[in-house]
Amino acid sequence: ECSVCGKQPVNFYLLITVLCALQFPLLSKSNHMQKLVQKASEDNCDEINMVDFPGGPNAFEICAKFCYGMAVTLNAYNVVAARCAAEYLEMTEDVDRGNLIFKIEVFLNSSIFHSWKDSIIVLRTAKSLLPWSENLKIVGRCIDSIASKTSVDPANITWSYTYNRKLSVQDKIVGDSMKLQEKIESVPKDWWVEDICELEIDLYKRVMTAVKSKGRMDGAVIGEALKTYAVRWLPDSVDALVSGVHSWRNKLLVETIACLLPSDNGVGCSCSFLLKLLKVAVLAGIDDSSKEDLVKRISLKLHEASVKDLLIPARSPQTTLYDVGMVQSIVNQYMTHEQRSQDVEPGKSAGFVLEHGSLLSVGKLIDGYLGEIAHDPNLSLTSFIDLSCSVSELARPVHDGLYKAIDIYLKCRSIQA
């Protein structure tokens, strides 16, 4: 019985015997087989070896069936393996007109790359056939196909756009009978987001980079895509985030999402999502540049945050429960940005600032945060005072929240004493 292994040499003695009996149809279409048989003959050897055959036995079977004129069924799940195997066997037009490589390329270009679903399936299967699939540009062509389709006008979407999840009846696209306005409403701008969540992080990064490079995707949609991917793959618990088993993957995932964030000063992502990324970034120990970028983005939208969002767990050697220094850095950057805005508009009055609301929201947010961290026995007085003084007087027209936080801080210390 003949077997094909992707890593070990394969004994094809019995197979060659059968081929000889059938007048060598496989040899007539495979330049590589011809060279192997010729070398075996010159060496007076009765076997040939195929090392690192891509695609395994199933891919070889497709090639063999094609050579013997048998029906071959290609689909999104086996076409990459078949293409790599055909390349290995050198089944080119120079050997025989209408050979397998040509046939598969026609199928890829006329069918696979025109299909949203199939492009994603092929891209996922191509991962296990590296570097063959990369060298044959299958990966690159899939990525370009997917990225191009994400920017199609939703009004023109006719394929199933959520094949990874079931649709409710009202969400389904019913085709030409649907009125244009109804069709537009049924297909959201982020119709493609969930489907690409199944891609591994390296392929996902390349797809999203291609989507962004085309410059036709709204930042809010890109932000939603990144949020959906993070929710799909990041664990919920702190213990799972820092566990040795997945810590490297979590670190890579956060670094990747951070570098893919839209360059729109944070408009495309909510402050809550950015703060969740920062929490994971701190726990996973990602590089300082990525954390600094997140801090800058968060500072631009700090007025949207909640106290719960700011409760970033501290890591050793910090002794406090929460990373107060990180919040201090965010507030400092926010106030710097606010000051620059006032400098740009020197005619802006204090009354206008108060009416604007965002500064007031930040003042209220920090007082609430101080009240929360005041319970921590390891919080130093210096840290408490520094953070309380980091917001301007304009942000705190009334001091009730601050007085409450101070009261909590002092009561906790008196109990300890």
Side-chain angles (χ1 to χ4, degrees):
E1 180 179 354
C2 186
S3 63
V4 179
C5 175
K7 297 298 181 182
Q8 300 295 328
V10 180
N11 189 319
F12 276 86
Y13 174 71
L14 180 59
L15 177 60
I16 295 302
T17 303
V18 175
L19 291 176
C20 291
L22 296 175
Q23 299 181 345
F24 305 104
L26 179 57
L27 297 182
S28 68
K29 295 182 181 293
S30 170
N31 186 48
H32 186 63
M33 287 289 289
Q34 291 176 18
K35 288 185 286 189
L36 288 177
V37 171
Q38 181 178 354
K39 187 176 185 306
S41 177
E42 292 172 353
D43 295 342
N44 196 27
C45 180
D46 59 358
E47 63 180 41
I48 61 174
N49 293 324
M50 290 189 180
V51 181
D52 296 334
F53 189 89
N58 293 335
F60 183 82
E61 182 182 359
I62 290 174
C63 297
K65 283 184 175 180
F66 173 81
C67 293
Y68 288 102
M70 301 172 66
V72 174
T73 302
L74 291 177
N75 54 52
Y77 294 96
N78 65 15
V79 68
V80 181
R83 176 64 181 88
C84 295
E87 186 72 19
Y88 181 97
L89 292 171
E90 300 176 20
M91 301 177 72
T92 64
E93 294 298 284
D94 294 337
V95 180
D96 188 56
R97 189 175 180 84
N99 214 339
L100 186 55
I101 290 178
F102 172 78
K103 298 284 189 182
I104 294 177
E105 284 295 327
V106 169
F107 177 65
L108 286 170
N109 293 319
S110 64
S111 179
I112 294 296
F113 298 138
H114 283 275
S115 166
W116 168 254
K117 290 183 184 180
D118 289 347
S119 294
I120 295 176
I121 293 170
V122 166
L123 183 57
R124 293 182 66 190
T125 59
K127 175 79 174 179
S128 62
L129 287 157
L130 295 172
W132 286 91
S133 56
E134 189 75 71
N135 295 336
L136 294 174
K137 304 187 185 305
I138 296 174
V139 173
R141 285 183 286 171
C142 278
I143 290 172
D144 186 65
S145 169
I146 294 167
S148 297
K149 289 176 175 58
T150 61
S151 57
V152 171
D153 187 340
N156 297 324
I157 301 297
T158 56
W159 54 81
S160 173
Y161 60 95
T162 50
Y163 80 96
N164 279 327
R165 60 186 170 96
K166 294 181 179 180
L167 295 176
S168 58
V169 174
Q170 60 267 30
D171 285 338
K172 292 182 178 178
I173 302 176
V174 297
D176 297 335
S177 62
M178 180 181 289
K179 293 180 180 179
L180 179 60
Q181 187 58 37
E182 291 175 342
K183 189 174 182 181
I184 293 174
E185 291 175 355
S186 68
V187 184
K189 289 183 179 180
D190 62 350
W191 61 265
W192 51 275
V193 166
E194 289 197 21
D195 284 349
I196 65 171
C197 279
E198 297 306 313
L199 296 174
E200 293 186 30
I201 187 64
D202 54 339
L203 292 177
Y204 182 83
K205 180 179 181 180
R206 291 177 63 178
V207 169
M208 289 302 298
T209 300
V211 170
K212 291 177 64 179
S213 69
K214 293 186 179 297
R216 298 194 291 267
M217 189 59 62
D218 184 77
V221 179
I222 291 177
E224 182 61 28
L226 297 176
K227 179 181 178 181
T228 304
Y229 193 80
V231 170
R232 170 68 177 82
W233 291 104
L234 283 176
D236 295 327
S237 69
V238 173
D239 291 340
L241 282 171
V242 298
S243 67
V245 179
H246 301 297
S247 59
W248 180 85
R249 187 197 68 181
N250 295 333
K251 180 174 180 290
L252 176 62
L253 197 154
V254 175
E255 287 178 344
T256 299
I257 293 177
C259 80
L260 289 172
L261 289 170
S263 55
D264 55 2
N265 291 331
V267 174
C269 297
S270 69
C271 189
S272 178
F273 172 61
L274 293 174
L275 279 163
K276 286 178 181 177
L277 276 184
L278 184 59
K279 289 178 184 179
V280 180
V282 171
L283 292 170
I286 72 170
D287 63 273
D288 291 338
S289 62
S290 296
K291 284 189 286 191
E292 289 170 4
D293 181 61
L294 285 171
V295 167
K296 179 181 177 182
R297 290 173 181 272
I298 291 166
S299 67
L300 296 172
K301 311 184 76 174
L302 184 58
H303 57 281
E304 298 178 5
S306 68
V307 172
K308 183 179 179 181
D309 292 333
L310 291 179
L311 299 178
I312 303 169
R315 287 197 70 182
S316 179
Q318 297 182 71
T319 57
T320 53
L321 184 60
Y322 300 110
D323 195 332
V324 181
M326 186 71 72
V327 175
Q328 178 77 66
S329 178
I330 294 171
V331 176
N332 289 344
Q333 290 206 33
Y334 173 84
M335 294 309 303
T336 300
H337 176 72
E338 185 67 24
Q339 184 60 50
R340 287 174 181 170
S341 299
Q342 294 181 47
D343 292 341
V344 171
E345 301 179 67
K348 183 190 288 185
S349 65
F352 179 85
V353 175
L354 291 174
E355 291 173 4
H356 188 262
S358 63
L359 194 58
L360 289 174
S361 297
V362 171
K364 185 177 180 180
L365 171 69
I366 297 307
D367 286 349
Y369 179 76
L370 286 167
E372 189 67 34
I373 65 174
H375 296 278
D376 188 347
N378 293 322
L379 178 65
S380 69
L381 179 60
T382 301
S383 296
F384 185 87
I385 293 175
D386 287 346
L387 185 57
S388 65
C389 295
S390 60
V391 294
S392 67
E393 294 181 4
L394 296 174
R396 194 181 280 133
V398 293
H399 296 75
D400 293 354
L402 179 59
Y403 290 150
K404 182 179 179 181
I406 293 173
D407 186 54
I408 295 172
Y409 185 86
L410 293 176
K411 283 182 176 178
C412 287
R413 271 65 192 171
S414 65
I415 293 173
Q416 292 173 25

